Structure formats: structure tokens, C-alpha cells
Amino acid sequence: MRDIFDAIQKSAKRIKEAIDTKDIGYSQLENSSGETQLELDIKCDMIIEEEFSKVASIHTVASEEKEHEEVLHENGKYFIAYDPLDGSSLIDVNLSVGSIFGIYEGAFGTQKMVAACYVVYGPRVEMVFSQNKTKLYLLQAGEFEFVKEIRLNEKGKLMAPGGTQQNWKKYHKAMIDGFFAEGYRLRYSGGMVPDLHQILLKGGGLFSYPATSDKPEGKLRRLFEVFPFAFVFKTSGGEAVDGKDEILTLGHAHIHDTSPCFFGSKYEIDRVKEVYARNA
């Protein structure tokens, strides 16, 4: 695992440089979701694959930017699914973006997940790595330095509600409004990584991206985004559900499968489960 940790650090440093210097215009290519790729998306994807190709313990990688998984080393044991630059459409307005990594042993799937990691590229570059604990690292003078262990409180105070409100189910909107009526504060940038990072570092709250009328299976991808953050939140003392079931019990049929998702501290997730059970 140490060699993977090192490869992610090297990738992060190179991606930070690419963000600072690379043209952010659109390419002529589309990703697996039919979205036109930014030149920066392609560059970051290449950087990560290049660094992972040097790590003999990595068997297979799957990227949010590629349709199919790719075998790197037949004798490796780790399978890594990653989103090279989540929220890249926020680059042109200078908001924080990130990279997400789900690390699986033997095959992709929640039952095989052994670690997760994400990197935030903002005013500072920070990395969060979850294995047995969730640890925060800060990039300083070219090296990542350990800062602290992250633990969530039982109840938070931040609300990051994703999806277009006009496409929410009525009971979901009522639930979100109820949290705001309790004094929760809106913190939503449209970037999954910075929004979840803020909830983690501020002690708790709720990030939600529900099933909507236009995205009945959710928008966020299980292997690249949903499963890794579920692992991070569970390891940090929080919870992660799809509305009724724990995310880390879900399966997948295709590497680009999506899912509704809710991440938060215990109080907020208990409310989600109660509301969704009542309206099932």
C-alpha cells in the first residue's frame, strides 16, 4: 500500500502543476458519460495512469475518463478506480477541485475495498487517506506532511444538497428544508471533493445527491466517487447510505454505474434513513 500512497502523492504534485499551467479549454473528445472532456481532464488522467504504471502491486485501473478498465500488471493485487479531476468545470472560475481514488484488493467492489483517498486542489493542496484511520496531509515545500486524524462528530451543522431542486422528490425537499430550519448552513460549490472535505474538517453535516426525476439512479459514479467517499466517512466515524441501504453493501454491474448518495454524521444520516423509509 505504501507504493500506492507514494504514487498518489507524485500524481497530486504533477496535477497541481498542470492546473497552474495547463490550457483549460475543451478537447474534441467525450468521456464515458458523453460529456466533452477538458484538456486538463485528459492530462490529469494521463498523469495518474503513468504513475500507477510504475507500481507493480497495481493489477488494474479504471478511470472515470475511460470507458473500460485497463490491466497494468498481471501479478498485481490491487484494483484502483479513480476520478482524475472531479469538478474540473469549476477550474475556470477558480474554485477548488479534486482527485478521488478507491483502492480494492483482488477485484472491484465494496466487499473488496481496503482504502480510499482524495486530494483537494485549492488555496492549499491537501490529501486525505483512509485505511484503518482517516488521516489529513498538507503539501508544504514539495512534500506531503501529516497534519491530523479526522473524526466526525455525532451531529454536524453544514448542508450540501446536490441535484436540481425542481427535480427533487417532495419529501426530499421537505427533509432538506427541515435541516435548514434547525439552523444548518448551506455550503455547496458543485464540487464533490471540496464540499465533502469541508463537512469532514468542520465536524459533520450532510452531503446529498438523491435520485431525481432526471437522474433516477443518481448522478455520481459508484466505483470512482460514491464508494471511496463512503469508505472515508465510515472510517471517520460517519455514515453513508443511498437513502435506505448502506453504500458499502451495494454492488455494481458496470464500472460506470451510478447511485444516489448521502454522506454525513450519524444524526443526519439517521434522519435520511427515517424519511426515506417512511416514503419508500
Side-chain angles (χ1 to χ4, degrees):
M1 189 66 69
R2 181 72 215 186
D3 49 1
I4 295 173
F5 184 59
D6 290 343
I8 291 173
Q9 291 184 62
K10 291 175 183 175
S11 298
K13 295 172 192 176
R14 293 178 62 188
I15 288 172
K16 169 59 176 171
E17 183 179 353
I19 290 171
D20 289 345
T21 59
K22 181 68 178 175
D23 176 15
I24 60 170
Y26 284 96
S27 71
Q28 300 301 309
L29 304 175
E30 292 185 348
N31 65 14
S32 60
S33 300
E35 301 162 336
T36 304
Q37 292 173 298
L38 292 172
E39 293 282 355
L40 194 55
D41 287 320
I42 297 169
K43 176 67 174 178
C44 294
D45 188 32
M46 291 172 58
I47 286 171
I48 293 171
E49 184 174 337
E50 184 177 306
E51 293 296 341
F52 282 171
S53 70
K54 304 171 187 175
V55 181
S57 63
I58 299 175
H59 185 285
T60 296
V61 294
S63 168
E64 190 266 347
E65 296 298 329
K66 291 189 174 74
E67 182 65 27
H68 303 289
E69 57 198 70
E70 182 176 346
V71 175
L72 295 184
H73 304 99
E74 289 286 356
N75 294 323
K77 66 176 181 177
Y78 293 111
F79 287 60
I80 302 181
Y82 63 91
D83 187 344
L85 197 63
D86 185 77
S88 57
S89 61
L90 299 174
I91 289 280
D92 63 345
V93 291
N94 206 26
L95 292 178
S96 296
V97 294
S99 301
I100 313 170
F101 304 86
I103 303 168
Y104 308 83
E105 187 171 340
F108 291 119
T110 52
Q111 303 307 310
K112 299 288 188 178
M113 184 164 252
V114 293
C117 178
Y118 68 87
V119 182
V120 186
Y121 309 100
R124 305 191 303 181
V125 178
E126 294 183 324
M127 178 175 62
V128 171
F129 194 91
S130 281
Q131 196 173 9
N132 300 316
K133 298 179 179 179
T134 300
K135 297 180 179 181
L136 172 67
Y137 298 83
L138 172 64
L139 183 62
Q140 292 187 303
E143 298 298 330
F144 279 96
E145 296 184 5
F146 173 74
V147 177
K148 64 179 181 178
E149 182 183 341
I150 298 174
R151 294 294 297 174
L152 284 163
N153 299 326
E154 285 287 304
K155 181 180 186 297
K157 55 188 177 183
L158 304 181
M159 192 66 28
T164 306
Q165 288 195 34
Q166 68 181 29
N167 298 322
W168 288 354
K169 292 182 171 64
K170 289 182 179 179
Y171 61 83
H172 177 82
K173 185 178 189 313
M175 178 186 73
I176 297 298
D177 289 344
F179 279 120
F180 285 129
E182 288 183 34
Y184 281 73
R185 297 196 290 273
L186 176 65
R187 294 290 185 270
Y188 190 75
S189 72
M192 185 184 191
V193 173
D195 290 341
L196 280 165
H197 186 59
Q198 183 168 195
I199 288 172
L200 279 165
L201 292 192
K202 296 294 186 181
L206 179 68
F207 175 100
S208 56
Y209 209 111
T212 56
S213 58
D214 61 331
K215 297 282 185 182
E217 298 300 321
K219 178 185 178 183
L220 300 175
R221 293 165 184 81
R222 296 187 181 205
L223 285 178
F224 310 110
E225 299 164 317
V226 178
F227 292 169
F229 268 110
F231 190 95
V232 170
F233 268 73
K234 287 288 288 184
T235 306
S236 307
E239 301 287 341
V241 297
D242 68 352
K244 59 175 183 175
D245 296 320
E246 288 197 19
I247 284 171
L248 291 179
T249 67
L250 302 180
H252 71 285
H254 187 275
I255 63 170
H256 290 283
D257 280 352
T258 61
S259 175
C261 53
F262 301 81
F263 308 94
S265 28
K266 189 176 186 304
Y267 175 85
E268 294 84 21
I269 297 298
D270 282 348
R271 175 81 62 83
V272 171
K273 290 191 287 188
E274 174 191 328
V275 168
Y276 271 72
R278 192 164 63 239
N279 290 278

